[in-house]
Amino acid sequence: MQQCPGKYLVRQFTAQEVVDAIAVRGHLEGMAARLVAEHGIPRALQNDLQAVLDEGDRLLADDPLTLESYAAYARMNDRFHGLILQACGNRALQRAVVLNDKLPFAPASAMLPMQGTVAMDRDWMLYAHRQHHMLFDALKRGEGARAQALAVEHTQVAQMNMRLALERRSESERVMPLMKLVVG
């Protein structure tokens, strides 16, 4: 929002701007994952990531997902991504992610499926969480290129969710009113 004398202006974003921000996040997080894998993953980080993955496994066991498990999964997802970013050791990269995350729908959990009780959405969440496990495996094995590619690929779920949200705009706006800021 921009402030004008006595008024506020709300900035709208095109669907392409949102898609671009998600793609940028994927490449930034891919670089972070590559750095972590190449520098070696410390035992404490391995333990933290494993605990986060275990929590995600437990939360996704709910079928259908409850609103509480869905919200807890979003927090777990943010923590998973945050641990990797924090561990990469590249402050410029960390600042770039923070800056990119200021755009609507760019942060890691912003484009989780809109309705966690819909079977297709739960399936996509299970798929995305499986990608978390694969990324963790690449980190432990020191496979920098694979970790980077997996992190970039992981944002394809967010891209797909954005497309679905735009196709189901009225339903999406009820669940996520910020969708009204996306034009086109």
Side-chain angles (χ1 to χ4, degrees):
M1 271 191 269
Q2 296 177 347
Q3 188 176 357
C4 295
K7 299 180 188 177
Y8 288 94
L9 299 175
V10 176
R11 181 180 178 330
Q12 293 184 311
F13 299 86
T14 66
Q16 188 61 51
E17 287 175 303
V18 173
V19 166
D20 290 347
I22 293 169
V24 167
R25 179 174 52 83
H27 287 283
L28 293 172
E29 288 187 354
M31 182 179 173
R34 181 179 54 78
L35 290 170
V36 170
E38 289 176 354
H39 292 130
I41 182 169
R43 176 67 59 195
L45 178 59
Q46 277 190 49
N47 293 340
D48 288 346
L49 287 171
Q50 186 63 61
V52 169
L53 290 173
D54 291 346
E55 178 185 359
D57 293 342
R58 182 183 54 77
L59 292 166
L60 289 176
D62 288 349
D63 190 10
L65 293 176
T66 64
L67 190 54
E68 294 79 20
S69 61
Y70 185 82
Y73 184 85
R75 289 189 299 275
M76 179 282 316
N77 187 64
D78 287 339
R79 180 146 168 71
F80 179 83
H81 289 266
L83 285 167
I84 294 169
L85 183 62
Q86 181 182 0
C88 82
N90 185 317
R91 297 188 127 208
L93 175 60
Q94 293 163 342
R95 285 191 302 271
V97 171
V98 169
L99 181 62
N100 191 68
D101 281 357
K102 292 180 188 283
L103 297 170
F105 311 107
S109 289
M111 284 311 301
L112 282 173
M114 298 291 126
Q115 288 76 33
T117 58
V118 175
M120 184 175 77
D121 287 345
R122 184 175 176 279
D123 289 346
W124 277 111
M125 288 176 74
L126 288 166
Y127 173 73
H129 193 61
R130 184 70 200 130
Q131 289 178 318
H132 289 154
H133 281 278
M134 292 166 45
L135 177 54
F136 181 50
D137 182 63
L139 293 173
K140 289 188 301 186
R141 293 175 182 270
E143 297 170 340
R146 181 169 180 253
Q148 184 170 11
L150 285 165
V152 171
E153 174 69 22
H154 185 56
T155 59
Q156 290 304 308
V157 175
Q159 300 282 13
M160 185 265 325
N161 286 333
M162 175 52 75
R163 285 191 299 276
L164 288 175
L166 290 170
E167 289 171 10
R168 308 181 298 192
R169 186 176 277 280
S170 62
E171 181 183 346
S172 299
E173 287 177 0
R174 278 195 310 271
V175 177
M176 184 179 266
L178 275 177
M179 281 299 297
K180 293 176 183 173
L181 294 178
V182 179
V183 294

